[in-house]
Amino acid sequence: MSMKKNIFRTCGFVTALLTLTFAHCSKTRQFDLVTMTGRTMGTTFSIKIAIPENSGQVQEALEKQIYALLDTVNMQMSTYLETSELSRFNTYRGSEWFPVSPPMALVMGYAQHISAISGGAFDITVGPLVNLWGFGPEVSPDDLPPDAEVQKRKQLVGYINLQVRKDPPALQKAIPDMYCDLSAIAKGYGVDVVADYLLARGYKNILVEIGGEIRSAGHNHHNKKWRIGISSPVTEPGIQKVLTVDNCGVATSGDYRNYFEKDGIRYSHTIDPSTGRPITHKLASVTVLHDSCMVADGLATAINVLGPEKGYEFAINQNLMVFMIVKSDTGFVEKMTPGFEKLLDELEK
Ligand code: ADP
Ligand code: MG
């Protein structure tokens, strides 16, 4: 497949979730494995479909359609495309309702919901700070941003300044210079779009991945549950844990995928809106399982901002299936919610 332009924030290092398949077993008695890979949203994607043997050549038309779907999501939600709906809303300075597509209102609505339940840890209006720290489309300076600039940009941040209307779909801003960044949730949404499309076309056995965010349905070409590896923070690209999943969205947020280092300090692309600075706690990665990959994606970022203790508390209160890898003095420790543990037990059966 052809290379597409980097549009969302690039994942510089390993993807946190690796799909595990074995190339030499690409064909079995009953199923063929169709694999598609390419680039979208500034990262890679991979799609695997187990189809009944000898069901014909499906790939070319499907690939075209999938690229069209992903291009549409980019044209709606990318901050790297000046003409995207999101960029047009960001440059709009008015206080009237700004009409958008239904998917934009849907994703924005979920983003606002995750902000509300996470006490503002997740906040798509954090864009001016993301850009200031060099993780957005703005050119990043060599030095760390001065505190005065951090404080100035913080004034533009706050999800309560954004209103979302579903019908007719529209957005409204209370601060003319506010800037929304959907990078923490749009990849998950893109995964859902592709997965829902494939399921609607009758492909029941699929694994869709964009930049490490995944959704699975049915089984693989060996007629077994799909296997997903959660990357280890130490031995890249080692695997910390393998999940066998059937119908599920899986998203990981971590400090070892997209960051820069200065004077021995690692600066994550995840920004704590309350400080205006990259997160600094001991949570190395958090993986969230949810029916919707979009929701899993947003929640993973929210929990990553909250950190190992508050994030865990939040996951318990929200009854979520969450797996964490936390740095300790002696290495890394795993922490999981009862919901995740229960699921592990059930899935391993
Ligand atoms: P991760 O998988 O590590 O969470 P994502 O790509 O899902 O990474 O989200 C990180 C991106 O989200 C950042 O590059 C930035 O654009 C944006 N972002 C950073 N901090 C926040 C935040 N507190 N709330 C919402 N979006 C954020
Ligand atoms: Mg995310």
Side-chain angles (χ1 to χ4, degrees):
M1 298 183 91
S2 60
M3 297 283 281
K4 295 269 159 157
K5 256 168 90 185
N6 282 6
I7 292 170
F8 282 80
R9 179 68 207 162
T10 312
C11 296
F13 304 90
V14 292
T15 50
L17 295 167
L18 305 169
T19 57
L20 304 180
T21 53
F22 304 97
H24 64 280
C25 301
S26 68
K27 195 166 179 194
T28 67
R29 227 155 25 99
Q30 290 170 302
F31 291 94
D32 286 335
L33 178 67
V34 174
T35 305
M36 300 174 201
T37 55
R39 291 193 67 83
T40 187
M41 302 185 187
T43 186
T44 54
F45 74 82
S46 120
I47 295 163
K48 296 182 198 307
I49 312 171
I51 55 166
E53 213 176 22
N54 303 322
S55 50
Q57 181 58 264
V58 293
Q59 199 147 343
E60 212 172 298
L62 257 193
E63 275 185 356
K64 243 178 140 176
Q65 193 53 38
I66 286 166
Y67 261 135
L69 291 171
L70 292 171
D71 281 348
T72 302
V73 177
N74 273 328
M75 279 314 294
Q76 287 158 344
M77 298 174 199
S78 172
T79 47
Y80 286 77
L81 289 176
E82 279 174 18
T83 53
S84 73
E85 258 189 284
L86 184 58
S87 293
R88 285 190 291 108
F89 177 61
N90 281 336
T91 50
Y92 171 66
R93 292 286 174 273
S95 58
E96 301 300 312
W97 283 103
F98 182 92
V100 291
S101 61
M104 270 291 274
L106 176 106
V107 175
M108 287 270 186
Y110 270 103
Q112 292 293 82
H113 172 66
I114 295 172
S115 294
I117 61 174
S118 69
F122 183 89
D123 192 332
I124 56 166
T125 70
V126 79
L129 289 164
V130 172
N131 294 342
L132 181 67
W133 286 95
F135 294 109
E138 266 182 38
V139 179
S140 49
D142 291 337
D143 291 324
L144 296 180
D147 191 51
E149 189 58 28
V150 173
Q151 298 313 323
K152 202 169 131 200
R153 297 226 180 172
K154 251 183 92 184
Q155 307 296 315
L156 304 175
V157 178
Y159 70 96
I160 50 164
N161 299 316
L162 171 71
Q163 298 300 318
V164 181
R165 190 178 69 191
K166 294 273 165 61
D167 193 17
L171 309 172
Q172 189 179 43
K173 49 173 84 175
I175 300 179
D177 287 341
M178 77 186 284
Y179 180 101
C180 297
D181 173 359
L182 287 171
S183 302
I185 194 166
K187 287 194 293 292
Y189 172 71
V191 168
D192 285 336
V193 166
V194 173
D196 290 341
Y197 171 77
L198 291 172
L199 291 170
R201 290 275 306 261
Y203 298 104
K204 298 189 188 84
N205 305 307
I206 58 168
L207 192 72
V208 179
E209 178 261 342
I210 302 177
E213 322 300 15
I214 292 177
R215 206 166 108 202
S216 66
H219 56 72
N220 67 16
H221 52 300
H222 302 301
N223 214 359
K224 299 238 168 70
K225 285 175 184 169
W226 295 103
R227 285 156 55 86
I228 293 174
I230 300 175
S231 292
S232 153
V234 237
T235 48
E236 292 175 4
I239 303 295
Q240 176 90 16
K241 192 162 226 69
V242 175
L243 303 176
T244 54
V245 290
D246 34 28
N247 301 309
C248 199
V250 188
T252 290
S253 181
D255 75 349
Y256 47 96
R257 288 171 61 200
N258 195 345
Y259 60 86
F260 68 86
E261 267 180 0
K262 190 157 175 69
D263 303 328
I265 298 173
R266 187 182 284 199
Y267 294 89
S268 164
H269 71 147
T270 302
I271 309 290
D272 183 344
S274 69
T275 62
R277 302 178 168 280
I279 50 170
T280 53
H281 53 62
K282 293 195 181 313
L283 183 54
S285 89
V286 50
T287 298
V288 179
L289 275 63
H290 195 280
D291 290 348
S292 150
C293 191
M294 168 184 69
V295 175
D297 192 7
L299 287 173
T301 300
I303 294 171
N304 196 18
V305 173
L306 290 168
E309 285 90 25
K310 280 193 198 149
Y312 188 77
E313 231 172 82
F314 170 79
I316 297 281
N317 290 339
Q318 296 290 325
N319 212 5
L320 300 175
M321 291 177 274
V322 170
F323 174 76
M324 291 173 162
I325 305 173
V326 186
K327 287 171 223 156
S328 80
D329 296 340
T330 49
F332 290 90
V333 288
E334 296 182 355
K335 204 168 163 179
M336 55 189 94
T337 60
F340 183 87
E341 216 162 336
K342 194 164 154 249
L343 190 93
L344 271 191
D345 291 346
E346 280 167 14
L347 289 173
E348 300 308 334
K349 273 176 199 162

